[in-house]
Amino acid sequence: MARKINLNADMAEGYGAYDIGNDDGMLSVVQSANVACGFHAGDPNVMARVLRDAAEKGVSIGAHPGFNDLWGFGRRQIQMPLHEIENIMAYQIGALQGMASAAGTSVTHVKPHGALNNMASVDADLADAIARSVRAVDPSLILVAIAGTELDRAGHALGLPVASEVYADRTYADDGNLSSRKLPNAMINDPAHSVAQVMQMVKDGVVTTLGGKQMPVNAHTICVHGDEPTGVDVARAVTAALAEAGLEVVPLPDVPLG
Amino acid sequence: MARKINLNADMAEGYGAYDIGNDDGMLSVVQSANVACGFHAGDPNVMARVLRDAAEKGVSIGAHPGFNDLWGFGRRQIQMPLHEIENIMAYQIGALQGMASAAGTSVTHVKPHGALNNMASVDADLADAIARSVRAVDPSLILVAIAGTELDRAGHALGLPVASEVYADRTYADDGNLSSRKLPNAMINDPAHSVAQVMQMVKDGVVTTLGGKQMPVNAHTICVHGDEPTGVDVARAVTAALAEAGLEVVPLPDVPLG
Amino acid sequence: MARKINLNADMAEGYGAYDIGNDDGMLSVVQSANVACGFHAGDPNVMARVLRDAAEKGVSIGAHPGFNDLWGFGRRQIQMPLHEIENIMAYQIGALQGMASAAGTSVTHVKPHGALNNMASVDADLADAIARSVRAVDPSLILVAIAGTELDRAGHALGLPVASEVYADRTYADDGNLSSRKLPNAMINDPAHSVAQVMQMVKDGVVTTLGGKQMPVNAHTICVHGDEPTGVDVARAVTAALAEAGLEVVPLPDVPLG
Amino acid sequence: MARKINLNADMAEGYGAYDIGNDDGMLSVVQSANVACGFHAGDPNVMARVLRDAAEKGVSIGAHPGFNDLWGFGRRQIQMPLHEIENIMAYQIGALQGMASAAGTSVTHVKPHGALNNMASVDADLADAIARSVRAVDPSLILVAIAGTELDRAGHALGLPVASEVYADRTYADDGNLSSRKLPNAMINDPAHSVAQVMQMVKDGVVTTLGGKQMPVNAHTICVHGDEPTGVDVARAVTAALAEAGLEVVPLPDVPLG
């Protein structure tokens, strides 16, 4: 039986008259959508549109909650007590669940956005708060985390299903984190380069960092970015390469975790 | 068997450092809470606090969604397409459902807030959109509406359970609507006056309007306002009078509708 | 002496990570910028960038205040008391003045945005409130209005300098208003068509409406839209045609009004 | 000639239906108002009301800008680049200046609010950015700062007039900062205690910290808090004690600085 793997992309990141990304294009090529929930991006109208289109195309739905900071697109660190973090998580996941119900679909995973995700990678208490909030809303929700982070640890500790995520179009720093967006080579926009990185991850279980280190990775799901003009091309090339290598790309709930 | 009736109050209407109403006081005397959902009032923290306290006290939970207008407290009319109304309804109901799950309780009714409720009383298309959104999220949710309004009609037309609401502490205009908040006698702050109005409604099925008209009403649930300093006293007096008259005051899902 | 005329464009309509329009391109071709002031679009960072670039290029600055409705981009009608309209006008004009001072430049005109402008065209009381607020902040500010509208009348009535505006890239309805943005032919994206419309306005003092009517217009300033991909091309073509016809395109304060 | 001193209070901290503080009461007893500017509190309507009343009563006006965080009331630390801090400062000062012009008065001082003020006390770069923004908008604006802080240093370094502020109703920690609001004895609500602290500051030039240390202070202006129920009583008692001791309480621009 073919090994199963998933491609995910962040979506519904527009707001009112503002548009970012390429939701239509990405919905045609990935199998799972991380949907912004209105705090850092994603008003109810753009959320509804993505949910309806995702339902039609069999794309599975995840909540992509962030800090309450539309101006900063959720990329600014905000200091908040842990119980407030739990509250903004539950609120956003629930909002998407309500809209998903109205669209005849359901939410099956959660992936924090931006600064909230970055902070949860290294802050154990924050990671625990996020895992607690996901379990409190629905313990069957899959938590998406980078293997080896505090969020990954917290999800497993609370018994959540945890999907390990790797990036097709982001480079890695020697410390194992994604390289900073401020660096010129943070993004990989060449499909061939992305394919090479993904194939190395999937076949060899390692990624080559910017400093040349071979770092072990674990890949249940592969993230591609729709706000890059090259996003759809990268996703198509990676999908084709995975298929050629005998892997089956499926919605996240169909990937065996563990 | 005693006839069953319900008292409800709007709650969680604070925001951050701002506080309005008397959630603690009202949670001790009413059996159902209409919880603001973050658009016109009610941040995730104040929502969480009310949900936890309501769960402890056996108070049933309703969503109290409004326009996305914190500045206007949801009391300003905003012109929006009907599908956008459906989206803001589903989003807010879902957000409260998610937080209720996290608090170990659930949402059992929906009552629109402020300008949205006022507009839905008289605008058939808007009322239909609201009823559609409630049904799409969860068709078992009880819709709270004033008997005879367009919202009442729309709820019944779509097969939703509909609870008829009357007001203990608001006066009625001759056209059957609540009298305008701009009038000096819009609110009833004297508990004895509220008791008299409620008893007339419950026993005789009518209310005396400001112009002296006897207007028929139907009462499954009685609203009292926690943002009036007299709210708790009014609610206590009404509860005592109902009990003395042999009625049983219960959470909204326990009131037989129809 | 050559007759003087002005080209203006709306700018600074982005917000955080969101971008709309082509501020860089438009700043190179028009002589006056209508700068969004943070309520419907335009955060302080994008405002600062446009102010600095406009100052460098000798582009004159106008405030472009709108309803407090980022989600609706200021295009939704919101019902507010007149004194509140005056307050949101003074706040936004002042905010831009403060930022302009910090950038070493100043604000010389005001043009309301979106629904606020549309409502002020036909609602005399709202138009008076807007004119009062402009005069109260600084009576030397030029009010930009379409000739014949209530806003035009109100500005003159209060003794404000009023600049009559026409549109290079919008079609006109038979009632004299701009044709609705919902119509497929609301925008003119063909530079030659824009040039023809502008030349007719400038030379003959009329515009041909969608219904074929010849309607008189008065043109101190010509608006072009930077959020159309064709905006810069239209502005360049119009500028060239005006120059060829012997007109001088200048910043708005240099156009003789009256 | 009597030594001159000033009492200031934060005002206009409400938002829409939400009210905090006692603007009416405080405007009758202090000579200078720090007016919230809409980012962490203070919508244009409440700002307009305070400006009009302050103008009538001869109370001088200061801007009280904060982080763009209504939910957190400006008390949450937000990490932003320095040029963005300058932009939010200029925007808010300007907005108040515009509204002050419309109310026939003017802005004469600036005092940052909450987390922004706390951070500027200890972060030299942030303090410099704030001082730069004040100077860029209007170099005659008085910067209010606690003597010895980074903000105090930055204001003097850029040549701004700087008023040293002490607190009548807050206790001081041994490190010279205000004691944390999380401590039970952070606020002084007993007028006699406030009078004693103020008299010690004014006569002896020192304050006794919570740990019993005698710390030197410099007082051009004394802050009292209107959101404490005891605020007006404290301000009255302090004013009476200052007068009895032969000092003259005046608007901030009338206090000789230096």
Side-chain angles (χ1 to χ4, degrees):
Chain A
M1 201 183 69
R3 176 172 160 203
K4 291 174 176 170
I5 199 160
N6 172 257
L7 260 67
N8 76 69
D10 301 345
M11 298 193 192
E13 296 195 315
Y15 190 81
Y18 296 119
D19 204 13
I20 273 190
N22 179 356
D23 291 343
D24 283 352
M26 296 308 282
L27 279 168
S28 301
V29 60
V30 302
Q31 304 80 42
S32 297
N34 316 311
V35 181
C37 301
F39 271 39
H40 69 278
D43 68 63
N45 298 330
V46 67
M47 292 167 69
R49 202 156 50 229
V50 166
L51 285 166
R52 188 194 55 216
D53 293 352
E56 276 174 21
K57 289 177 172 155
V59 171
S60 82
I61 304 293
H64 196 42
F67 280 119
N68 189 17
D69 179 20
L70 184 66
W71 187 20
F73 202 65
R75 289 185 179 151
R76 287 196 289 225
Q77 295 198 5
I78 300 181
Q79 306 302 325
M80 294 170 63
L82 296 178
H83 73 273
E84 299 193 1
I85 296 286
E86 292 180 62
N87 291 338
I88 65 171
M89 289 290 299
Y91 182 100
Q92 292 180 78
I93 298 169
L96 185 66
Q97 287 177 320
M99 300 203 75
S101 290
T105 180
S106 64
V107 177
T108 48
H109 75 271
V110 175
K111 173 183 165 181
H113 166 86
L116 187 60
N117 204 25
N118 296 343
M119 292 162 78
S121 288
V122 296
D123 180 332
D125 291 337
L126 182 61
D128 287 335
I130 288 174
R132 274 197 305 275
S133 69
V134 173
R135 191 181 59 173
V137 174
D138 179 353
S140 73
L141 288 166
I142 301 165
L143 180 65
V144 173
I146 299 176
T149 59
E150 288 293 338
L151 186 60
D152 175 61
R153 176 203 55 73
H156 283 108
L158 287 195
L160 290 172
V162 180
S164 291
E165 183 180 43
V166 295
Y167 285 79
D169 52 9
R170 291 285 302 272
T171 56
Y172 285 75
D174 284 10
D175 64 3
N177 291 315
L178 297 177
S179 58
S180 167
R181 275 182 181 273
K182 293 170 190 160
L183 293 178
N185 56 358
M187 298 299 309
I188 304 173
N189 292 316
D190 172 17
H193 184 171
S194 282
V195 164
Q197 174 161 306
V198 166
M199 286 299 110
Q200 186 193 28
M201 288 164 154
V202 170
K203 287 184 169 168
D204 308 336
V206 296
V207 67
T208 304
T209 66
L210 284 181
K213 232 171 92 177
Q214 302 283 312
M215 195 181 65
V217 294
N218 188 20
H220 298 116
T221 182
I222 301 166
C223 185
V224 288
H225 284 86
D227 52 346
E228 294 294 309
T230 49
V232 172
D233 289 343
V234 164
R236 285 227 175 89
V238 167
T239 302
L242 290 168
E244 198 165 330
L247 284 89
E248 190 183 353
V249 289
V250 295
L252 190 51
D254 297 336
V255 176
L257 304 177
Chain B
M1 200 182 71
R3 178 172 159 202
K4 291 175 176 170
I5 199 159
N6 172 255
L7 259 68
N8 76 68
D10 300 346
M11 297 192 194
E13 296 195 314
Y15 191 81
Y18 296 118
D19 204 13
I20 273 191
N22 179 357
D23 290 345
D24 284 351
M26 296 309 281
L27 279 167
S28 300
V29 59
V30 302
Q31 303 80 42
S32 296
N34 317 310
V35 181
C37 301
F39 271 40
H40 69 277
D43 68 63
N45 297 329
V46 67
M47 292 167 70
R49 202 156 49 229
V50 166
L51 285 166
R52 188 195 55 214
D53 293 352
E56 276 175 22
K57 289 177 171 156
V59 172
S60 82
I61 304 293
H64 195 44
F67 280 120
N68 190 17
D69 179 20
L70 185 65
W71 187 19
F73 202 65
R75 290 187 178 148
R76 286 197 288 224
Q77 295 198 5
I78 300 181
Q79 306 301 326
M80 295 171 62
L82 296 178
H83 74 274
E84 298 193 2
I85 296 286
E86 292 180 62
N87 291 337
I88 65 171
M89 288 290 300
Y91 182 99
Q92 292 181 76
I93 298 169
L96 184 65
Q97 287 177 321
M99 299 204 75
S101 291
T105 181
S106 65
V107 177
T108 48
H109 74 271
V110 175
K111 173 184 164 181
H113 166 86
L116 187 59
N117 203 26
N118 296 342
M119 292 162 78
S121 288
V122 295
D123 180 332
D125 291 337
L126 181 62
D128 287 335
I130 288 174
R132 276 198 305 275
S133 69
V134 173
R135 190 181 61 174
V137 174
D138 179 354
S140 74
L141 287 166
I142 301 164
L143 180 65
V144 173
I146 299 175
T149 58
E150 288 293 338
L151 186 59
D152 175 62
R153 177 203 54 72
H156 283 108
L158 288 194
L160 291 172
V162 180
S164 291
E165 183 179 44
V166 294
Y167 285 79
D169 52 9
R170 293 285 301 271
T171 55
Y172 285 74
D174 284 10
D175 64 2
N177 290 315
L178 297 178
S179 58
S180 166
R181 273 181 181 274
K182 292 170 189 161
L183 293 179
N185 55 357
M187 298 299 309
I188 303 174
N189 292 317
D190 172 15
H193 184 172
S194 282
V195 165
Q197 174 160 307
V198 166
M199 285 300 109
Q200 186 192 27
M201 288 164 153
V202 171
K203 287 185 170 167
D204 307 336
V206 296
V207 67
T208 304
T209 67
L210 284 181
K213 232 172 93 178
Q214 302 284 312
M215 195 181 66
V217 293
N218 187 19
H220 297 116
T221 182
I222 301 167
C223 185
V224 287
H225 284 87
D227 53 346
E228 294 294 308
T230 48
V232 173
D233 289 342
V234 164
R236 285 227 176 91
V238 167
T239 303
L242 290 167
E244 198 164 330
L247 284 89
E248 191 183 354
V249 287
V250 295
L252 190 52
D254 297 336
V255 175
L257 305 177
Chain C
M1 199 184 68
R3 176 172 160 202
K4 291 174 177 169
I5 199 160
N6 172 257
L7 259 66
N8 76 67
D10 301 344
M11 298 193 192
E13 296 194 315
Y15 191 81
Y18 297 118
D19 205 13
I20 273 191
N22 179 357
D23 290 344
D24 283 352
M26 296 309 281
L27 279 168
S28 302
V29 60
V30 302
Q31 303 80 42
S32 297
N34 317 311
V35 180
C37 301
F39 271 39
H40 69 278
D43 68 64
N45 297 330
V46 67
M47 292 167 70
R49 202 156 50 230
V50 166
L51 285 166
R52 188 194 55 216
D53 293 353
E56 277 176 20
K57 289 177 172 156
V59 171
S60 82
I61 304 294
H64 196 43
F67 280 119
N68 190 17
D69 179 20
L70 185 66
W71 186 19
F73 202 65
R75 290 185 178 151
R76 285 196 289 225
Q77 295 198 5
I78 301 181
Q79 306 303 325
M80 294 171 63
L82 296 178
H83 73 275
E84 299 193 0
I85 296 287
E86 292 181 62
N87 292 337
I88 66 172
M89 289 289 300
Y91 182 101
Q92 292 180 76
I93 297 169
L96 185 66
Q97 287 177 321
M99 301 203 75
S101 290
T105 181
S106 65
V107 177
T108 48
H109 74 271
V110 175
K111 172 183 165 182
H113 166 84
L116 187 60
N117 204 26
N118 296 343
M119 291 162 79
S121 288
V122 295
D123 180 333
D125 291 337
L126 181 61
D128 287 335
I130 287 174
R132 274 197 306 275
S133 69
V134 173
R135 190 181 61 173
V137 174
D138 179 353
S140 74
L141 287 166
I142 301 165
L143 180 65
V144 174
I146 299 175
T149 58
E150 288 294 338
L151 186 59
D152 175 61
R153 176 203 55 73
H156 283 108
L158 287 195
L160 291 172
V162 180
S164 290
E165 182 180 44
V166 295
Y167 285 79
D169 53 8
R170 293 285 300 273
T171 55
Y172 286 74
D174 284 10
D175 64 3
N177 291 314
L178 298 177
S179 59
S180 167
R181 276 182 181 273
K182 292 169 190 162
L183 293 178
N185 56 357
M187 298 299 309
I188 304 173
N189 292 316
D190 171 17
H193 184 172
S194 282
V195 164
Q197 174 161 307
V198 166
M199 286 299 109
Q200 185 193 26
M201 288 164 153
V202 170
K203 288 183 169 167
D204 307 335
V206 296
V207 66
T208 304
T209 66
L210 285 181
K213 231 172 96 177
Q214 302 284 312
M215 195 180 67
V217 293
N218 187 20
H220 297 117
T221 183
I222 302 166
C223 185
V224 288
H225 284 86
D227 53 346
E228 293 294 309
T230 50
V232 173
D233 289 343
V234 164
R236 285 226 176 89
V238 167
T239 301
L242 290 168
E244 198 165 330
L247 284 88
E248 190 183 353
V249 288
V250 295
L252 189 51
D254 297 336
V255 176
L257 305 177
Chain D
M1 198 184 71
R3 178 173 159 202
K4 290 174 177 171
I5 199 160
N6 172 256
L7 259 67
N8 76 68
D10 300 346
M11 297 192 193
E13 296 195 315
Y15 190 81
Y18 297 119
D19 204 14
I20 273 191
N22 179 356
D23 290 345
D24 284 351
M26 297 308 281
L27 278 168
S28 301
V29 59
V30 302
Q31 303 79 43
S32 296
N34 317 310
V35 180
C37 302
F39 271 40
H40 69 277
D43 68 63
N45 297 329
V46 67
M47 292 167 70
R49 202 156 49 229
V50 166
L51 286 165
R52 188 194 55 214
D53 293 351
E56 277 175 21
K57 290 179 172 155
V59 171
S60 82
I61 304 293
H64 196 44
F67 280 119
N68 190 17
D69 179 19
L70 184 66
W71 186 19
F73 201 66
R75 291 187 178 148
R76 286 195 290 224
Q77 295 198 5
I78 300 181
Q79 306 302 325
M80 294 171 63
L82 295 177
H83 73 274
E84 299 193 359
I85 296 286
E86 293 180 62
N87 292 337
I88 65 171
M89 288 288 302
Y91 182 100
Q92 292 181 76
I93 297 169
L96 185 66
Q97 287 177 321
M99 301 203 75
S101 290
T105 181
S106 65
V107 177
T108 48
H109 74 271
V110 175
K111 173 184 165 182
H113 166 85
L116 187 59
N117 204 26
N118 296 342
M119 292 162 78
S121 288
V122 295
D123 180 333
D125 291 338
L126 181 61
D128 287 336
I130 287 174
R132 274 198 306 275
S133 69
V134 173
R135 191 181 60 173
V137 174
D138 179 354
S140 74
L141 287 167
I142 301 165
L143 179 65
V144 173
I146 299 175
T149 58
E150 288 293 338
L151 186 59
D152 174 62
R153 177 202 55 72
H156 283 109
L158 288 194
L160 291 172
V162 180
S164 290
E165 182 180 44
V166 294
Y167 285 79
D169 53 8
R170 292 285 302 271
T171 55
Y172 285 75
D174 283 11
D175 64 2
N177 290 315
L178 297 178
S179 58
S180 166
R181 274 180 182 275
K182 291 171 190 161
L183 293 179
N185 55 358
M187 298 300 308
I188 304 174
N189 292 317
D190 172 15
H193 184 171
S194 282
V195 165
Q197 175 161 306
V198 166
M199 285 299 110
Q200 187 193 26
M201 289 164 153
V202 170
K203 289 184 170 167
D204 307 336
V206 296
V207 66
T208 303
T209 66
L210 284 181
K213 233 172 95 177
Q214 302 284 312
M215 195 180 67
V217 294
N218 187 20
H220 297 115
T221 182
I222 302 167
C223 185
V224 287
H225 283 87
D227 53 346
E228 293 295 307
T230 49
V232 172
D233 289 342
V234 164
R236 286 227 176 90
V238 167
T239 301
L242 290 168
E244 198 166 330
L247 284 88
E248 191 183 353
V249 288
V250 295
L252 190 51
D254 297 336
V255 176
L257 304 177

